Amino acid sequence: MLAYILRRLLLIIPTLFGILLINFIIIQAAPGGPVEQMIAKLEGFDSAAGGATGRISGGGGEVSVAGSNYRGAQGLDPELVKEIERMYGFDKPAPERFWIMLKNYLRLDFGSSFFRDAKVTDLIVEKMPVSISLGLWSTLIMYLVSIPLGIAKATRHGSTFDLWTSTAIIVGYAIPAFLFAILLIVLFAGGSYWDWFPLRGLTSNNFDELSLGGKILDYFWHLTLPVTALVIGNFATLTLLTKNSFLDEINKQYVVTARAKGLTERRVLYGHVFRNAMLIIIAGFPAAFIGIFFTGSLLIEVIFSLDGLGLMSFEAAINRDYPVVFGTLFIFTLVGLLVKLIGDITYTLVDPRIDFESREG
């Protein structure tokens, strides 16, 4: 097992390299980079102002701008364009920029945002509480609801309970999470009916003045609607997966043998079936957690005015803020690969019979 973990850790290096390289090539080919955006902004500013003087900053540097830099139909002065390219690091060829980026990442230096005037790591730390809150609680509640519900549906397959819960699951699967979010706002956040929950932020403005218990209540008060929307919009697949996995195991021969020996249904279900049926659930946990944690909450963040990692990554991609794009890509990919490895290790904890070192001819 130790050798397997070591190989997986070493495999992370070429995987990260390949993902960064592919995305670097794609982004370099996309039009409208930071240099083009700055040139367009300066041309519009200078032509509208009839000549202006000042300094612009970005990408860890700044250049001076004078009214004479803009020359009408000829565009900006080529020297100013070169200064802008130098400011954003585009005065070097693409392979050299990629190599510099890799060396910086090995030192955990992700650079500074082109447009936010802050380091990428500081931005991630600043946005992390929102994404951790949404991802952690929604995933935890989703598993706590879906697994017992899936087991109950499997043991009552074909009953009235199974029928009605399947109807609720189909509704949850068919309607996206952001539509549930809008519905919750209309019902409970002052839309048309009740005004029970806040609509903006992770905490109240007077959060620092509250007692410890008041802070905890205020925190969950703000999280109730967005987490509920995420859970309702995502629990259907996991519930059905749990049900089908348990149904498949319940019909196997070893379950019949266990019942024939006189074991109770509870002992058969949780002593034998549970361990085997939960393998596929555990396999999907890392992908579910990473998906909700980093990407699935984008629209929820927008609807509930929560400034988290999902919204920051989306804005960075739109604005071609390359340090933020690649910094978050590196961190998210690394975390995802490590969590996937943890999921594989958990396999062996649930079922010690699994041996990643064994190979069949």
Side-chain angles (χ1 to χ4, degrees), residues 39-337:
I39 291 175
K41 183 187 298 184
L42 290 177
E43 288 179 346
F45 175 74
D46 281 350
S47 60
T53 302
R55 302 186 71 82
I56 57 173
S57 60
E62 62 178 13
V63 298
S64 60
V65 180
S68 59
N69 290 129
Y70 183 66
R71 303 177 301 166
Q74 296 180 352
L76 292 176
D77 187 339
E79 292 298 325
L80 178 60
V81 174
K82 291 181 180 180
E83 282 294 307
I84 295 174
E85 292 176 348
R86 180 197 57 78
M87 182 176 67
Y88 288 112
F90 281 80
D91 56 330
K92 303 178 181 65
E96 184 177 352
R97 296 200 307 272
F98 181 72
W99 175 245
I100 293 174
M101 182 182 71
L102 289 181
K103 290 194 298 183
N104 290 335
Y105 283 6
L106 291 177
R107 302 195 301 267
L108 299 180
D109 179 10
F110 302 104
S112 299
S113 169
F114 286 162
F115 306 107
R116 292 175 180 257
D117 193 26
K119 292 183 177 180
V120 174
T121 50
D122 293 339
L123 288 173
I124 293 176
V125 171
E126 178 185 346
K127 312 300 182 185
M128 191 69 76
V130 171
S131 295
I132 287 179
S133 298
L134 292 176
L136 176 63
W137 294 116
S138 61
T139 304
L140 179 62
I141 294 174
M142 186 171 64
Y143 270 77
L144 290 177
V145 171
S146 298
I147 292 177
L149 180 59
I151 295 174
K153 286 175 65 61
T155 56
R156 297 172 176 85
H157 180 61
S159 65
T160 303
F161 171 81
D162 185 34
L163 177 62
W164 284 106
T165 53
S166 294
T167 303
I169 288 172
I170 292 173
V171 173
Y173 183 78
I175 302 178
F178 71 89
L179 287 183
F180 277 116
I182 296 174
L183 176 63
L184 291 174
I185 289 174
V186 172
L187 292 177
F188 304 113
S192 300
Y193 296 91
W194 302 280
D195 189 7
W196 293 349
F197 296 96
L199 189 56
R200 179 179 296 274
L202 193 62
T203 57
S204 300
N205 294 330
N206 63 337
F207 182 77
D208 294 333
E209 302 173 3
L210 300 176
S211 62
L212 178 59
K215 289 181 179 179
I216 295 175
L217 291 176
D218 182 77
Y219 170 73
F220 285 107
W221 182 46
H222 283 76
L223 276 179
T224 299
L225 293 187
V227 169
T228 301
L230 283 173
V231 171
I232 293 177
N234 292 282
F235 85 104
T237 302
L238 181 60
T239 301
L240 292 177
L241 181 65
T242 304
K243 175 190 174 181
N244 293 334
S245 178
F246 272 79
L247 278 178
D248 183 57
E249 292 295 327
I250 287 174
N251 294 323
K252 289 185 177 179
Q253 184 62 41
Y254 74 89
V255 176
V256 177
T257 303
R259 288 171 175 166
K261 291 180 178 180
L263 297 180
T264 63
E265 283 296 318
R266 184 178 182 86
R267 179 68 182 274
V268 171
L269 183 64
Y270 292 101
H272 297 272
V273 175
F274 184 83
R275 183 175 63 181
N276 297 324
M278 283 299 294
L279 289 176
I280 191 171
I281 310 300
I282 294 172
F285 175 76
F289 182 77
I290 295 299
I292 293 178
F293 190 32
F294 294 130
T295 59
S297 61
L298 170 60
L299 292 177
I300 299 299
E301 290 179 14
V302 174
I303 292 173
F304 290 99
S305 300
L306 298 170
D307 191 7
L309 289 175
L311 182 59
M312 183 190 72
S313 300
F314 173 76
E315 292 177 345
I318 294 298
N319 296 325
R320 304 295 194 272
D321 196 347
Y322 295 154
V324 176
V325 170
F326 285 109
T328 53
L329 175 66
F330 179 87
I331 294 174
F332 296 172
T333 303
L334 180 60
V335 172
L337 293 172

